[in-house]
Amino acid sequence: MLELNFNPFPELETERLKLERVATVHAEAMFEMRSNDDVMRYIERPRPKSIEDIHVLIRRNNELIDANEALIWFLRLKDTDKFCGNILLWQINKDNHRGEVGYLLHPDYWRKGIVTEAVQEVLRYGFDELKLHSIEANVNPKNEPSWKLLEKCGFVREAYFRENFYWGGKFHDTMIYSLLVQDWKKSRL
C-alpha cells in the first residue's frame, strides 16, 4: 500500500508554470473560471453561485490535501503571475497505486499547451515521487480537446461507459483513459 504525505505541500514548476496549493486568495479567479459555461460545458458538477461556494470548495480541497487523499494545484503563469487554471491528482487508490488526474483551464489560455505542460509535470510527480503504477482520467466523450490532450500525453482509452453518470436530470456517457508507469517511462526515452 502507498504511504502518502503531502506535508509540506509539493509545489511544482514547469517552463511556464508554477503549480501551487489552492488558497482563498485564488477564490475570485476560480469563481470566474468555474462559473464560465464554456469551461464547465463537459464538467458534470454544480456551478458556483457565489464566491462563498468557492470558499467552501477551497476548504474541502484543503481538507483532502491535509488528509493525504488528493493534491489540488493552482496554475499560475510565471511571467505574469496570473491564475490560469487548476490541476489535481485525486481519487488515489493506495492499495492499487492508482490516481486520477483532472484539470480546468481559463478560456484565455486555451490552445497554448498549458494543460499539456501541467499534465506532464503531474505525471512526473505521480510516477516518480508518489510511485503510482497508473494514472487515469475520466472524460466526457463530447470533450474532444480533453481526450485528444490525454492521447497526446500517452494515455490510452480503457473504457467507454454508456449512460453511467447521472447529473442535471439526465444520464451521461464517460470514457476512462489511463497511463501505466512503464508506458510513461518508455515514452520519455
Side-chain angles (χ1 to χ4, degrees), residues 26-50:
H26 310 132
E28 282 188 39
M30 286 179 65
F31 178 76
E32 181 185 337
M33 183 179 69
R34 293 184 76 92
S35 60
N36 183 305
D37 288 336
D38 290 332
V39 172
M40 300 298 287
R41 177 181 306 140
Y42 303 114
I43 309 295
E44 286 81 20
R45 298 267 187 259
R47 307 306 186 258
K49 293 182 178 25
S50 69

PDB file of all heavy atoms in Angstrom, residues 26-50:
ATOM      1  N   HIS A  26      -7.137  32.809  -4.223  1.00  0.00           N
ATOM      2  CA  HIS A  26      -7.455  32.446  -5.599  1.00  0.00           C
ATOM      3  C   HIS A  26      -8.962  32.391  -5.862  1.00  0.00           C
ATOM      4  O   HIS A  26      -9.384  32.059  -6.960  1.00  0.00           O
ATOM      5  CB  HIS A  26      -6.856  31.077  -5.938  1.00  0.00           C
ATOM      6  CG  HIS A  26      -5.414  30.948  -5.596  1.00  0.00           C
ATOM      7  ND1 HIS A  26      -4.905  29.882  -4.905  1.00  0.00           N
ATOM      8  CD2 HIS A  26      -4.374  31.775  -5.847  1.00  0.00           C
ATOM      9  CE1 HIS A  26      -3.607  30.048  -4.746  1.00  0.00           C
ATOM     10  NE2 HIS A  26      -3.258  31.181  -5.304  1.00  0.00           N
ATOM     11  N   ALA A  27      -9.762  32.702  -4.860  1.00  0.00           N
ATOM     12  CA  ALA A  27     -11.212  32.491  -4.943  1.00  0.00           C
ATOM     13  C   ALA A  27     -11.865  33.246  -6.102  1.00  0.00           C
ATOM     14  O   ALA A  27     -12.687  32.672  -6.821  1.00  0.00           O
ATOM     15  CB  ALA A  27     -11.877  32.850  -3.618  1.00  0.00           C
ATOM     16  N   GLU A  28     -11.540  34.503  -6.281  1.00  0.00           N
ATOM     17  CA  GLU A  28     -12.193  35.272  -7.354  1.00  0.00           C
ATOM     18  C   GLU A  28     -11.876  34.706  -8.731  1.00  0.00           C
ATOM     19  O   GLU A  28     -12.767  34.557  -9.572  1.00  0.00           O
ATOM     20  CB  GLU A  28     -11.800  36.745  -7.280  1.00  0.00           C
ATOM     21  CG  GLU A  28     -12.548  37.491  -6.203  1.00  0.00           C
ATOM     22  CD  GLU A  28     -12.292  38.984  -6.257  1.00  0.00           C
ATOM     23  OE1 GLU A  28     -12.221  39.534  -7.374  1.00  0.00           O
ATOM     24  OE2 GLU A  28     -12.177  39.578  -5.176  1.00  0.00           O
ATOM     25  N   ALA A  29     -10.617  34.395  -8.963  1.00  0.00           N
ATOM     26  CA  ALA A  29     -10.218  33.831 -10.262  1.00  0.00           C
ATOM     27  C   ALA A  29     -10.868  32.466 -10.477  1.00  0.00           C
ATOM     28  O   ALA A  29     -11.315  32.150 -11.578  1.00  0.00           O
ATOM     29  CB  ALA A  29      -8.703  33.724 -10.338  1.00  0.00           C
ATOM     30  N   MET A  30     -10.943  31.670  -9.418  1.00  0.00           N
ATOM     31  CA  MET A  30     -11.595  30.363  -9.534  1.00  0.00           C
ATOM     32  C   MET A  30     -13.085  30.519  -9.795  1.00  0.00           C
ATOM     33  O   MET A  30     -13.660  29.770 -10.581  1.00  0.00           O
ATOM     34  CB  MET A  30     -11.357  29.540  -8.268  1.00  0.00           C
ATOM     35  CG  MET A  30      -9.941  29.008  -8.168  1.00  0.00           C
ATOM     36  SD  MET A  30      -9.674  28.068  -6.651  1.00  0.00           S
ATOM     37  CE  MET A  30     -10.778  26.686  -6.913  1.00  0.00           C
ATOM     38  N   PHE A  31     -13.715  31.496  -9.127  1.00  0.00           N
ATOM     39  CA  PHE A  31     -15.147  31.726  -9.350  1.00  0.00           C
ATOM     40  C   PHE A  31     -15.396  32.097 -10.808  1.00  0.00           C
ATOM     41  O   PHE A  31     -16.309  31.574 -11.452  1.00  0.00           O
ATOM     42  CB  PHE A  31     -15.668  32.825  -8.422  1.00  0.00           C
ATOM     43  CG  PHE A  31     -17.125  33.135  -8.660  1.00  0.00           C
ATOM     44  CD1 PHE A  31     -18.112  32.274  -8.204  1.00  0.00           C
ATOM     45  CD2 PHE A  31     -17.501  34.273  -9.357  1.00  0.00           C
ATOM     46  CE1 PHE A  31     -19.456  32.546  -8.433  1.00  0.00           C
ATOM     47  CE2 PHE A  31     -18.843  34.548  -9.592  1.00  0.00           C
ATOM     48  CZ  PHE A  31     -19.817  33.688  -9.129  1.00  0.00           C
ATOM     49  N   GLU A  32     -14.565  32.999 -11.342  1.00  0.00           N
ATOM     50  CA  GLU A  32     -14.720  33.405 -12.740  1.00  0.00           C
ATOM     51  C   GLU A  32     -14.609  32.197 -13.669  1.00  0.00           C
ATOM     52  O   GLU A  32     -15.396  32.031 -14.598  1.00  0.00           O
ATOM     53  CB  GLU A  32     -13.666  34.448 -13.106  1.00  0.00           C
ATOM     54  CG  GLU A  32     -13.776  34.920 -14.531  1.00  0.00           C
ATOM     55  CD  GLU A  32     -12.650  35.858 -14.932  1.00  0.00           C
ATOM     56  OE1 GLU A  32     -12.032  36.484 -14.066  1.00  0.00           O
ATOM     57  OE2 GLU A  32     -12.394  35.955 -16.149  1.00  0.00           O
ATOM     58  N   MET A  33     -13.631  31.330 -13.414  1.00  0.00           N
ATOM     59  CA  MET A  33     -13.420  30.176 -14.276  1.00  0.00           C
ATOM     60  C   MET A  33     -14.545  29.149 -14.110  1.00  0.00           C
ATOM     61  O   MET A  33     -15.110  28.673 -15.086  1.00  0.00           O
ATOM     62  CB  MET A  33     -12.071  29.530 -13.972  1.00  0.00           C
ATOM     63  CG  MET A  33     -11.746  28.351 -14.882  1.00  0.00           C
ATOM     64  SD  MET A  33     -10.134  27.624 -14.538  1.00  0.00           S
ATOM     65  CE  MET A  33     -10.422  26.878 -12.942  1.00  0.00           C
ATOM     66  N   ARG A  34     -14.890  28.797 -12.871  1.00  0.00           N
ATOM     67  CA  ARG A  34     -15.856  27.727 -12.625  1.00  0.00           C
ATOM     68  C   ARG A  34     -17.301  28.149 -12.892  1.00  0.00           C
ATOM     69  O   ARG A  34     -18.183  27.298 -12.939  1.00  0.00           O
ATOM     70  CB  ARG A  34     -15.692  27.184 -11.217  1.00  0.00           C
ATOM     71  CG  ARG A  34     -14.354  26.462 -11.029  1.00  0.00           C
ATOM     72  CD  ARG A  34     -14.248  25.859  -9.661  1.00  0.00           C
ATOM     73  NE  ARG A  34     -15.053  24.659  -9.564  1.00  0.00           N
ATOM     74  CZ  ARG A  34     -14.619  23.431  -9.797  1.00  0.00           C
ATOM     75  NH1 ARG A  34     -13.381  23.226 -10.156  1.00  0.00           N
ATOM     76  NH2 ARG A  34     -15.430  22.405  -9.665  1.00  0.00           N
ATOM     77  N   SER A  35     -17.547  29.432 -13.062  1.00  0.00           N
ATOM     78  CA  SER A  35     -18.896  29.873 -13.414  1.00  0.00           C
ATOM     79  C   SER A  35     -19.020  30.150 -14.913  1.00  0.00           C
ATOM     80  O   SER A  35     -20.084  30.535 -15.387  1.00  0.00           O
ATOM     81  CB  SER A  35     -19.290  31.118 -12.602  1.00  0.00           C
ATOM     82  OG  SER A  35     -18.411  32.183 -12.857  1.00  0.00           O
ATOM     83  N   ASN A  36     -17.951  29.902 -15.654  1.00  0.00           N
ATOM     84  CA  ASN A  36     -17.930  30.102 -17.103  1.00  0.00           C
ATOM     85  C   ASN A  36     -18.530  28.870 -17.792  1.00  0.00           C
ATOM     86  O   ASN A  36     -18.018  27.758 -17.642  1.00  0.00           O
ATOM     87  CB  ASN A  36     -16.485  30.340 -17.554  1.00  0.00           C
ATOM     88  CG  ASN A  36     -16.359  30.622 -19.025  1.00  0.00           C
ATOM     89  OD1 ASN A  36     -16.818  29.836 -19.854  1.00  0.00           O
ATOM     90  ND2 ASN A  36     -15.723  31.727 -19.355  1.00  0.00           N
ATOM     91  N   ASP A  37     -19.592  29.061 -18.546  1.00  0.00           N
ATOM     92  CA  ASP A  37     -20.268  27.940 -19.207  1.00  0.00           C
ATOM     93  C   ASP A  37     -19.371  27.201 -20.194  1.00  0.00           C
ATOM     94  O   ASP A  37     -19.490  25.985 -20.339  1.00  0.00           O
ATOM     95  CB  ASP A  37     -21.538  28.420 -19.922  1.00  0.00           C
ATOM     96  CG  ASP A  37     -22.654  28.772 -18.953  1.00  0.00           C
ATOM     97  OD1 ASP A  37     -22.652  28.240 -17.816  1.00  0.00           O
ATOM     98  OD2 ASP A  37     -23.524  29.583 -19.323  1.00  0.00           O
ATOM     99  N   ASP A  38     -18.484  27.911 -20.871  1.00  0.00           N
ATOM    100  CA  ASP A  38     -17.576  27.244 -21.802  1.00  0.00           C
ATOM    101  C   ASP A  38     -16.607  26.317 -21.060  1.00  0.00           C
ATOM    102  O   ASP A  38     -16.340  25.204 -21.509  1.00  0.00           O
ATOM    103  CB  ASP A  38     -16.788  28.263 -22.632  1.00  0.00           C
ATOM    104  CG  ASP A  38     -17.664  28.992 -23.641  1.00  0.00           C
ATOM    105  OD1 ASP A  38     -18.680  28.412 -24.086  1.00  0.00           O
ATOM    106  OD2 ASP A  38     -17.339  30.141 -23.978  1.00  0.00           O
ATOM    107  N   VAL A  39     -16.087  26.783 -19.943  1.00  0.00           N
ATOM    108  CA  VAL A  39     -15.161  25.972 -19.156  1.00  0.00           C
ATOM    109  C   VAL A  39     -15.868  24.738 -18.606  1.00  0.00           C
ATOM    110  O   VAL A  39     -15.337  23.628 -18.625  1.00  0.00           O
ATOM    111  CB  VAL A  39     -14.557  26.791 -17.992  1.00  0.00           C
ATOM    112  CG1 VAL A  39     -13.754  25.903 -17.047  1.00  0.00           C
ATOM    113  CG2 VAL A  39     -13.694  27.924 -18.533  1.00  0.00           C
ATOM    114  N   MET A  40     -17.083  24.913 -18.126  1.00  0.00           N
ATOM    115  CA  MET A  40     -17.787  23.850 -17.407  1.00  0.00           C
ATOM    116  C   MET A  40     -18.708  23.012 -18.300  1.00  0.00           C
ATOM    117  O   MET A  40     -19.407  22.134 -17.805  1.00  0.00           O
ATOM    118  CB  MET A  40     -18.589  24.454 -16.254  1.00  0.00           C
ATOM    119  CG  MET A  40     -17.750  25.198 -15.233  1.00  0.00           C
ATOM    120  SD  MET A  40     -16.543  24.177 -14.372  1.00  0.00           S
ATOM    121  CE  MET A  40     -17.629  23.248 -13.306  1.00  0.00           C
ATOM    122  N   ARG A  41     -18.682  23.252 -19.593  1.00  0.00           N
ATOM    123  CA  ARG A  41     -19.588  22.574 -20.529  1.00  0.00           C
ATOM    124  C   ARG A  41     -19.592  21.058 -20.340  1.00  0.00           C
ATOM    125  O   ARG A  41     -20.637  20.424 -20.393  1.00  0.00           O
ATOM    126  CB  ARG A  41     -19.208  22.919 -21.966  1.00  0.00           C
ATOM    127  CG  ARG A  41     -20.064  22.192 -22.994  1.00  0.00           C
ATOM    128  CD  ARG A  41     -19.678  22.523 -24.426  1.00  0.00           C
ATOM    129  NE  ARG A  41     -19.690  23.961 -24.601  1.00  0.00           N
ATOM    130  CZ  ARG A  41     -18.779  24.630 -25.311  1.00  0.00           C
ATOM    131  NH1 ARG A  41     -17.799  24.001 -25.906  1.00  0.00           N
ATOM    132  NH2 ARG A  41     -18.858  25.926 -25.429  1.00  0.00           N
ATOM    133  N   TYR A  42     -18.444  20.457 -20.136  1.00  0.00           N
ATOM    134  CA  TYR A  42     -18.356  18.995 -20.043  1.00  0.00           C
ATOM    135  C   TYR A  42     -18.056  18.509 -18.626  1.00  0.00           C
ATOM    136  O   TYR A  42     -17.723  17.345 -18.429  1.00  0.00           O
ATOM    137  CB  TYR A  42     -17.284  18.470 -20.997  1.00  0.00           C
ATOM    138  CG  TYR A  42     -17.532  18.885 -22.424  1.00  0.00           C
ATOM    139  CD1 TYR A  42     -16.674  19.742 -23.085  1.00  0.00           C
ATOM    140  CD2 TYR A  42     -18.653  18.417 -23.115  1.00  0.00           C
ATOM    141  CE1 TYR A  42     -16.905  20.126 -24.390  1.00  0.00           C
ATOM    142  CE2 TYR A  42     -18.895  18.801 -24.428  1.00  0.00           C
ATOM    143  CZ  TYR A  42     -18.013  19.651 -25.058  1.00  0.00           C
ATOM    144  OH  TYR A  42     -18.253  20.026 -26.356  1.00  0.00           O
ATOM    145  N   ILE A  43     -18.170  19.394 -17.676  1.00  0.00           N
ATOM    146  CA  ILE A  43     -17.921  19.038 -16.275  1.00  0.00           C
ATOM    147  C   ILE A  43     -19.271  18.924 -15.578  1.00  0.00           C
ATOM    148  O   ILE A  43     -19.968  19.912 -15.390  1.00  0.00           O
ATOM    149  CB  ILE A  43     -17.046  20.098 -15.568  1.00  0.00           C
ATOM    150  CG1 ILE A  43     -15.785  20.392 -16.368  1.00  0.00           C
ATOM    151  CG2 ILE A  43     -16.743  19.684 -14.135  1.00  0.00           C
ATOM    152  CD1 ILE A  43     -14.825  19.239 -16.500  1.00  0.00           C
ATOM    153  N   GLU A  44     -19.628  17.709 -15.222  1.00  0.00           N
ATOM    154  CA  GLU A  44     -20.920  17.463 -14.599  1.00  0.00           C
ATOM    155  C   GLU A  44     -20.827  17.709 -13.094  1.00  0.00           C
ATOM    156  O   GLU A  44     -20.822  16.795 -12.274  1.00  0.00           O
ATOM    157  CB  GLU A  44     -21.411  16.041 -14.909  1.00  0.00           C
ATOM    158  CG  GLU A  44     -21.917  15.855 -16.330  1.00  0.00           C
ATOM    159  CD  GLU A  44     -20.815  15.643 -17.355  1.00  0.00           C
ATOM    160  OE1 GLU A  44     -19.690  15.262 -16.970  1.00  0.00           O
ATOM    161  OE2 GLU A  44     -21.063  15.876 -18.540  1.00  0.00           O
ATOM    162  N   ARG A  45     -20.735  18.983 -12.754  1.00  0.00           N
ATOM    163  CA  ARG A  45     -20.662  19.433 -11.371  1.00  0.00           C
ATOM    164  C   ARG A  45     -21.481  20.719 -11.266  1.00  0.00           C
ATOM    165  O   ARG A  45     -21.587  21.480 -12.234  1.00  0.00           O
ATOM    166  CB  ARG A  45     -19.224  19.755 -10.959  1.00  0.00           C
ATOM    167  CG  ARG A  45     -18.271  18.584 -11.025  1.00  0.00           C
ATOM    168  CD  ARG A  45     -18.194  17.898  -9.671  1.00  0.00           C
ATOM    169  NE  ARG A  45     -17.151  16.880  -9.679  1.00  0.00           N
ATOM    170  CZ  ARG A  45     -17.384  15.581  -9.821  1.00  0.00           C
ATOM    171  NH1 ARG A  45     -18.590  15.143  -9.975  1.00  0.00           N
ATOM    172  NH2 ARG A  45     -16.398  14.715  -9.789  1.00  0.00           N
ATOM    173  N   PRO A  46     -22.003  21.004 -10.079  1.00  0.00           N
ATOM    174  CA  PRO A  46     -22.748  22.259  -9.910  1.00  0.00           C
ATOM    175  C   PRO A  46     -21.856  23.478 -10.127  1.00  0.00           C
ATOM    176  O   PRO A  46     -20.677  23.459  -9.784  1.00  0.00           O
ATOM    177  CB  PRO A  46     -23.220  22.211  -8.449  1.00  0.00           C
ATOM    178  CG  PRO A  46     -23.034  20.812  -8.002  1.00  0.00           C
ATOM    179  CD  PRO A  46     -21.994  20.190  -8.864  1.00  0.00           C
ATOM    180  N   ARG A  47     -22.431  24.512 -10.711  1.00  0.00           N
ATOM    181  CA  ARG A  47     -21.720  25.770 -10.913  1.00  0.00           C
ATOM    182  C   ARG A  47     -21.803  26.578  -9.619  1.00  0.00           C
ATOM    183  O   ARG A  47     -22.840  26.593  -8.960  1.00  0.00           O
ATOM    184  CB  ARG A  47     -22.341  26.610 -12.034  1.00  0.00           C
ATOM    185  CG  ARG A  47     -22.544  25.932 -13.371  1.00  0.00           C
ATOM    186  CD  ARG A  47     -21.274  25.303 -13.915  1.00  0.00           C
ATOM    187  NE  ARG A  47     -21.461  24.780 -15.255  1.00  0.00           N
ATOM    188  CZ  ARG A  47     -21.632  23.493 -15.538  1.00  0.00           C
ATOM    189  NH1 ARG A  47     -21.692  22.604 -14.583  1.00  0.00           N
ATOM    190  NH2 ARG A  47     -21.759  23.098 -16.784  1.00  0.00           N
ATOM    191  N   PRO A  48     -20.741  27.287  -9.269  1.00  0.00           N
ATOM    192  CA  PRO A  48     -20.818  28.128  -8.071  1.00  0.00           C
ATOM    193  C   PRO A  48     -21.773  29.286  -8.309  1.00  0.00           C
ATOM    194  O   PRO A  48     -21.797  29.870  -9.392  1.00  0.00           O
ATOM    195  CB  PRO A  48     -19.379  28.608  -7.895  1.00  0.00           C
ATOM    196  CG  PRO A  48     -18.780  28.544  -9.264  1.00  0.00           C
ATOM    197  CD  PRO A  48     -19.461  27.392  -9.952  1.00  0.00           C
ATOM    198  N   LYS A  49     -22.534  29.594  -7.292  1.00  0.00           N
ATOM    199  CA  LYS A  49     -23.476  30.713  -7.392  1.00  0.00           C
ATOM    200  C   LYS A  49     -22.919  31.976  -6.724  1.00  0.00           C
ATOM    201  O   LYS A  49     -23.408  33.062  -6.957  1.00  0.00           O
ATOM    202  CB  LYS A  49     -24.804  30.324  -6.774  1.00  0.00           C
ATOM    203  CG  LYS A  49     -25.504  29.227  -7.564  1.00  0.00           C
ATOM    204  CD  LYS A  49     -26.854  28.894  -6.956  1.00  0.00           C
ATOM    205  CE  LYS A  49     -27.640  27.857  -7.685  1.00  0.00           C
ATOM    206  NZ  LYS A  49     -26.963  26.901  -8.481  1.00  0.00           N
ATOM    207  N   SER A  50     -21.903  31.783  -5.894  1.00  0.00           N
ATOM    208  CA  SER A  50     -21.304  32.909  -5.185  1.00  0.00           C
ATOM    209  C   SER A  50     -19.853  32.596  -4.868  1.00  0.00           C
ATOM    210  O   SER A  50     -19.419  31.447  -4.968  1.00  0.00           O
ATOM    211  CB  SER A  50     -22.061  33.175  -3.879  1.00  0.00           C
ATOM    212  OG  SER A  50     -21.824  32.103  -2.975  1.00  0.00           O
TER     213      SER A  50
END
